[in-house]
Amino acid sequence: MALSSGQQIELEAQLERAVVECNERCLYFAAKWSAELLNSFADSSQNDPDDTEDTDIDEDVDDRPLPRQTKHSGRESRLEAKERPRYLLAKSLFDCREYDRCAAVFLPHQIPHGTPIREDAVPPTRLSLTPNPKSKSNLSLGPSPISKPVVLAIPKNLSEKALFLTLYARYMSGEKRKLEDSETILGPADGPVTANMEAAGIASVLEEYFNARGGLQDTSKSQGWLDYLYGLVLMKNKSENLAKQWLLRSVNVNPHNWAAWQELAAAIGSIEELQQINEHLPRDIMAFMFNIFCNQELFQSTPEVYNTLTQIQAIFPRSAFLQQQKALLHYHSRDHEQATQLFDGLILDHPHRLEGLEIYSNLLYVQGSRPKLATLATMASNTDKFKPETNCILGNYYSLISEHEKAVLHFRRALTLDRNFQAAWTLMGHEYIELKNTQAAIESYRRAVDTNRKDYRAWYGLGQGYEMLECYSYSLFYYQRAAALCPGDPKMWAAVANAYSKCDKLPQAIQAYKRALVVGSQVETGSSFGSRNSDPLAQAVGGALDPQILYDIALLYEREERWDEAAAYMELTLAQEEGPEEGDVGLGVMQITSRARLWLARWCHRQGDLERAMELANELCQDGVEVEEAKGLVRDIRGQIAFAEEK
């Protein structure tokens, strides 16, 4: 994918306008994302520190067109010009985090939270959205339906831009108050019990606002910003299907608001939902960015995704966001070496950027790379100690050196800084599992799932927690959710199989274990999994399969008293000691293969194959595993042979 010079100039103008408009509406993370993308073009030579040959500024150095404005009516433009002094005041108050004062600039009659109310004052829940024509005030004192929380009526002469800032300030005020009321992490008031009390009122205002302008289908008078805010509030109110519709409308009207794309991505829970959403997306480069991000969130490391990413990187070769997505795709596909190289390059190019580095610390933790993890923790601490990413990196470091109490402390600090930082909830759950605090681990994982339902590690952690409590039906449910989200990880299917076996569902357990083998090996199957006509493992050879799973399958067949199948899988377990072809090196002698050898020796002994039993028992004596039982078996076999010879 390549852009002509004219297309690139137009795209730069659109991104520049997106930065300005997002900053004007206090959507700072979306503005930062657009600004980083704006400076990621291949020919962005204006930021080259070595380009010092010509310091003179020519009058015609920049002949690019001005950024295309968001569509305005003449009335909207006049209202914005008239409101400009008050808007600057409101934005300044928002920047100082005085959200209630910011909202009061355009809605000055709202009763502040915590203000003593006169005895003759009307409770806020009784204020009506529609003015009472018989009253001098714009408020109606009649009761309003309980199902619709209401606030003051919207002034007639208020621009969409001012209304967005006002309602967004009310939303942020509710989030701030929710955080204050939640108090301690995992405390009695933390979690869903404490809600954003402003969300329902904002939704009611926006519902009335859009109904007066033709509803969902009429986009002629929309700029896309209030649509995004309505979708955001509906997501908070758990109306996800309706929220998707409004967020789709927002990205179609205003495709360069990255905040709307992120909210839409959070509402997508499966690849099927993403395919349905794609049918309604605008033909814009932002839709490609969105698809890359969603596929990464859904762990879809397919050639099509890599191809799309490569094409977009040709346009934005210096984009840290795209490089991070590529590293995460390799990480999810367990290509740890390539992921490490990409993360190292990202740190080299952007040494003060912390976004996504908590995932890199997970990777270093899995690799057991203590020196690199310590270096990363030092670098993050020197950059910003009070970022959730930094505290997650520190928590992973302390976990690696088995100081789990300190790890929990840092994960709690990360959540104090950002309660919605999902990685910290999951990692804290892992630490509570290590500390045997099962209840705290389950609650941490549950909060992680509430924040991001696509995190298979949190679902897997919930399964672990309930398995420790011996609630196997619950653990089976959560393991199944984890396996559905990440079907390419054999660990998920092995956990499902183990839960099935604990629930005495042996046929399902065997099938799940076979699925784990197929996923985790290089075995190519021509038939679908679970076919009755052929076993996908029938042609398996040594050195390609997980011996532990093979051994577990054999034990399940033993429980079903299907001795021939059990013996066949024990033979497969034993075969993993050797390579798939002559001369290749397999896994070698392991404790699990020695157990399989002992089982086979006993089996051959019972079947009367004394020569094979003696051979296996002697091998056990040489391996140094299960030696005493092997020696006892050898004595029994020799006694039988001697008795037979005497006869």
Side-chain angles (χ1 to χ4, degrees):
M1 181 185 292
L3 299 180
S4 65
S5 59
Q7 289 174 325
Q8 180 168 326
I9 289 173
E10 182 182 359
L11 181 56
E12 287 179 357
Q14 290 170 350
L15 289 173
E16 187 176 336
R17 187 60 202 168
V19 175
V20 173
E21 290 187 338
C22 288
N23 272 316
E24 287 177 344
R25 289 162 178 80
C26 302
L27 299 173
Y28 295 121
F29 288 100
K32 181 187 73 169
W33 186 89
S34 298
E36 288 180 347
L37 201 62
L38 178 62
N39 288 272
S40 301
F41 287 95
D43 60 346
S44 299
S45 57
Q46 65 268 24
N47 293 328
D48 189 353
D50 298 328
D51 187 10
T52 57
E53 294 180 2
D54 187 6
T55 57
D56 295 333
I57 300 176
D58 298 329
E59 292 183 0
D60 58 347
V61 68
D62 192 357
D63 56 355
R64 293 182 304 167
L66 291 175
R68 180 167 54 87
Q69 301 280 334
T70 301
K71 59 181 182 181
H72 280 61
S73 65
R75 181 175 180 273
E76 281 290 317
S77 299
R78 289 192 298 272
L79 286 174
E80 288 183 13
K82 183 179 178 181
E83 294 164 352
R84 183 165 179 77
R86 287 196 296 160
Y87 191 89
L88 291 174
L89 171 62
K91 185 178 183 306
S92 300
L93 293 170
F94 191 104
D95 292 342
C96 294
R97 299 187 179 184
E98 297 186 40
Y99 303 121
D100 289 328
R101 285 189 68 193
C102 171
V105 171
F106 292 104
L107 291 179
H109 302 296
Q110 177 77 30
I111 298 176
H113 295 276
T115 301
I117 302 177
R118 304 189 314 272
E119 293 182 2
D120 58 341
V122 180
T125 53
R126 295 186 59 198
L127 297 178
S128 175
L129 280 167
T130 55
N132 186 355
K134 297 182 180 180
S135 174
K136 295 181 181 179
S137 169
N138 287 331
L139 303 179
S140 171
L141 302 185
S144 44
I146 297 175
S147 60
K148 283 192 174 183
V150 292
V151 294
L152 286 174
I154 304 169
K156 292 182 178 180
N157 296 323
L158 190 64
S159 69
E160 185 174 333
K161 182 178 176 181
L163 179 60
F164 177 89
L165 184 62
T166 300
L167 296 180
Y168 189 50
R170 295 305 303 174
Y171 172 80
M172 293 302 296
S173 173
E175 288 293 295
K176 180 182 177 183
R177 197 163 289 106
K178 172 186 172 183
L179 182 61
E180 293 168 351
D181 294 341
S182 296
E183 298 177 352
T184 59
I185 304 294
L186 296 181
D190 191 23
V193 295
T194 306
N196 185 335
M197 303 305 293
E198 301 289 344
I202 296 169
S204 180
V205 170
L206 289 173
E207 180 183 2
E208 182 174 329
Y209 177 87
F210 285 118
N211 286 339
R213 286 159 179 79
L216 182 63
Q217 305 305 322
D218 186 2
T219 61
S220 58
K221 299 178 182 179
S222 174
Q223 298 178 10
W225 301 100
L226 286 173
D227 312 61
Y228 154 68
L229 182 58
Y230 193 26
L232 175 64
V233 171
L234 288 171
M235 286 288 290
K236 284 289 181 183
N237 291 339
K238 305 300 182 183
S239 302
E240 291 191 5
N241 291 330
L242 187 57
K244 286 183 199 174
Q245 297 179 42
W246 284 99
L247 291 168
L248 270 173
R249 168 170 148 153
S250 175
V251 298
N252 276 278
V253 174
N254 180 19
H256 294 94
N257 175 18
W258 182 244
W261 290 103
Q262 282 189 305
E263 284 299 321
L264 184 58
I268 296 174
S270 67
I271 193 65
E272 291 78 18
E273 287 184 45
L274 177 59
Q275 291 170 352
Q276 293 174 1
I277 291 290
N278 281 336
E279 298 175 2
H280 306 284
L281 294 181
R283 300 293 298 174
D284 192 276
I285 199 166
M286 298 294 288
F288 289 97
M289 292 282 193
F290 170 76
N291 267 278
I292 292 169
F293 179 72
C294 285
N295 278 286
Q296 180 272 123
E297 289 279 298
L298 294 168
F299 315 107
Q300 299 296 312
S301 302
T302 62
E304 291 79 9
V305 177
Y306 282 112
N307 183 45
T308 303
L309 180 57
T310 302
Q311 293 182 34
I312 299 297
Q313 278 191 307
I315 302 172
F316 303 103
R318 300 164 58 238
S319 170
F321 171 79
L322 291 175
Q323 190 172 351
Q324 176 185 331
Q325 299 307 304
K326 189 173 184 179
L328 292 174
L329 285 170
H330 283 286
Y331 170 68
H332 295 321
S333 60
R334 294 183 293 281
D335 185 359
H336 292 170
E337 183 179 352
Q338 183 63 27
T340 301
Q341 292 178 7
L342 288 167
F343 275 119
D344 287 340
L346 188 62
I347 293 172
L348 189 63
D349 295 338
H350 307 275
H352 304 295
R353 185 181 186 272
L354 296 178
E355 286 90 344
L357 293 188
E358 75 281 359
I359 307 298
Y360 185 33
S361 71
N362 292 345
L363 174 58
L364 296 176
Y365 179 91
V366 170
Q367 293 176 331
S369 181
R370 180 176 172 180
K372 290 190 73 172
L373 187 52
T375 303
L376 182 65
T378 303
M379 184 208 73
S381 297
N382 291 338
T383 301
D384 191 346
K385 291 181 180 179
F386 299 101
K387 290 278 284 185
E389 293 88 349
T390 300
N391 283 280
C392 280
I393 295 168
L394 288 167
N396 271 332
Y397 173 74
Y398 283 115
S399 178
L400 185 61
I401 61 176
S402 300
E403 295 190 23
H404 300 294
E405 292 83 0
K406 285 187 177 180
V408 168
L409 176 63
H410 281 286
F411 292 137
R412 292 178 73 95
R413 284 179 181 174
L415 292 167
T416 302
L417 294 165
D418 183 0
R419 294 288 175 103
N420 294 322
F421 198 73
Q422 183 266 334
W425 286 113
T426 304
L427 293 170
M428 188 165 72
H430 295 343
E431 295 309 304
Y432 279 128
I433 289 288
E434 293 291 336
L435 294 170
K436 310 300 182 187
N437 189 343
T438 311
Q439 294 294 344
I442 289 174
E443 187 58 31
S444 299
Y445 288 132
R446 200 175 296 282
R447 291 296 303 277
V449 167
D450 290 340
T451 306
N452 179 12
R453 61 184 179 183
K454 298 187 285 289
D455 182 18
Y456 73 92
R457 298 176 187 85
W459 290 108
Y460 180 83
L462 279 170
Q464 272 189 312
Y466 281 106
E467 185 177 0
M468 291 172 68
L469 294 176
E470 299 183 0
C471 300
Y472 300 120
S473 296
Y474 286 95
S475 69
L476 174 60
F477 171 78
Y478 292 120
Y479 284 142
Q480 286 175 324
R481 292 296 299 268
L485 285 167
C486 191
D489 191 341
K491 184 179 178 182
M492 303 299 113
W493 291 107
V496 170
N498 183 55
Y500 269 129
S501 67
K502 294 289 180 60
C503 295
D504 293 324
K505 298 180 179 180
L506 302 186
Q508 294 90 334
I510 291 170
Q511 289 300 311
Y513 270 132
K514 288 183 178 180
R515 180 67 177 268
L517 284 173
V518 173
V519 168
S521 70
Q522 291 76 39
V523 176
E524 297 293 336
T525 61
S527 60
S528 61
F529 173 74
S531 172
R532 295 184 180 181
N533 298 327
S534 61
D535 190 330
L537 304 173
Q539 304 300 322
V541 292
L545 303 174
D546 186 339
Q548 180 65 57
I549 295 178
L550 290 168
Y551 183 78
D552 290 335
I553 294 174
L555 293 182
L556 290 176
Y557 277 127
E558 183 184 23
R559 287 173 62 181
E560 287 191 329
E561 298 184 356
R562 296 168 62 180
W563 304 105
D564 291 337
E565 288 88 346
Y569 275 90
M570 287 297 182
E571 292 283 4
L572 274 176
T573 306
L574 202 58
Q576 306 313 303
E577 292 182 348
E578 302 174 358
E581 295 181 4
E582 188 175 352
D584 292 346
V585 178
L587 299 176
V589 176
M590 303 169 62
Q591 186 174 12
I592 195 67
T593 59
S594 295
R595 289 178 184 173
R597 183 176 278 106
L598 178 61
W599 191 97
L600 283 170
R602 290 170 174 168
W603 163 256
C604 293
H605 183 213
R606 288 197 300 270
Q607 296 298 313
D609 188 354
L610 300 181
E611 183 178 351
R612 170 73 168 153
M614 178 64 77
E615 178 186 351
L616 292 169
N618 286 329
E619 289 176 359
L620 277 171
C621 294
Q622 295 173 5
D623 294 343
V625 182
E626 309 287 354
V627 175
E628 295 301 323
E629 294 195 35
K631 287 181 178 179
L633 186 58
V634 168
R635 286 194 296 270
D636 292 342
I637 294 172
R638 285 176 177 171
Q640 278 189 303
I641 293 174
F643 180 73
E645 289 177 351
E646 288 178 2
K647 274 193 170 184

